[in-house]
Amino acid sequence: MRVLAVCCLAALTAACSKTPQTPAAQAPAAPAPASQPAKPAETPAPATPAATVATTQYVLPFTSQAEEGAPEDPRIVRWGEGPCGATPYARVSAIPLEDKSLLADYVVEFDPAGRELRRWGKPYEADVIGLEGQWLRVRARDSEDKSHEFRIDVAGRIESIADKAQALADRSKMIDCPKLPTFTESDYEQCYDVTDAAGAQRRLAYEGVCA
């Protein structure tokens, strides 16, 4: 009995003196991979150029200022006879301004003090039929003597329109012309007090047909 008590005491002592084990330290997490530098955005392939929109061309009359012996202007379709002499009919997409071969007629808007405000070019002998903001409306005949209406801006851009109005000269008051730089060498200058498309009163000067 004594021996049994001693053995139990020894077992109990060993159990109490046993040092509790510390849980194994968790293995450190693997370091996050270093962030990769952002890839530069790929340059998109250049877009295929869009097809150029064909520009409308018109055959219109002008005055020729080509020097004698100069090469024939490829824009000229045919020649006709007008009150001022030979008239070239040329294929153009815009009114030629300061051209070396074709000379447009000019229309000038001026203020009450006689100062030029803006200037348009128009086909030779084209009737001025209206004024719409920065646009001049005209009626001209082509090489087949067919009548067409256009509006023209100060840069010479042409747009076809439908306008059967009579010439402005036939429904406007003629006024005295100031000394305008555009017509210093002209004997055919005429000036009018006109009403534009918005109902405003404006002043225009342009040359009449050669006599």
Side-chain angles (χ1 to χ4, degrees), residues 32-201:
S35 58
Q36 296 295 323
K39 291 184 179 181
E42 295 184 1
T43 304
T48 302
T52 303
V53 178
T55 302
T56 303
Q57 293 190 323
Y58 308 92
V59 176
L60 299 170
F62 298 96
T63 300
S64 174
Q65 60 177 359
E67 296 181 2
E68 185 177 354
E72 185 73 16
D73 189 324
R75 295 169 295 178
I76 297 176
V77 174
R78 76 172 184 84
W79 288 82
E81 284 295 327
C84 296
T87 302
Y89 287 81
R91 192 181 305 279
V92 297
S93 56
I95 297 296
L97 304 174
E98 308 300 334
D99 194 89
K100 294 181 179 180
S101 174
L102 303 175
L103 182 65
D105 288 354
Y106 284 109
V107 178
V108 171
E109 181 178 4
F110 60 94
D111 66 12
R115 294 172 297 200
E116 294 191 4
L117 299 176
R118 57 186 58 84
R119 185 173 73 171
W120 299 267
K122 68 178 182 66
Y124 170 65
E125 288 193 310
D127 285 330
V128 177
I129 59 175
L131 194 55
E132 174 197 350
Q134 303 292 316
W135 294 88
L136 183 74
R137 290 176 171 252
V138 304
R139 179 177 296 115
R141 292 189 173 277
D142 62 17
S143 60
E144 298 178 354
D145 203 32
K146 294 180 180 178
S147 180
H148 303 274
E149 290 81 31
F150 307 96
R151 68 176 191 167
I152 303 167
D153 69 7
V154 293
R157 185 169 47 146
I158 307 172
E159 291 184 0
S160 180
I161 59 172
D163 187 345
K164 301 304 179 183
Q166 66 181 135
L168 270 182
D170 296 336
R171 52 190 171 93
S172 302
K173 178 184 176 181
M174 183 176 282
I175 59 178
D176 291 335
C177 291
K179 293 182 178 179
L180 300 171
T182 297
F183 301 114
T184 52
E185 299 180 3
S186 174
D187 296 326
Y188 305 102
E189 179 187 8
Q190 300 174 358
C191 297
Y192 297 91
D193 188 355
V194 305
T195 303
D196 70 8
Q201 294 301 119

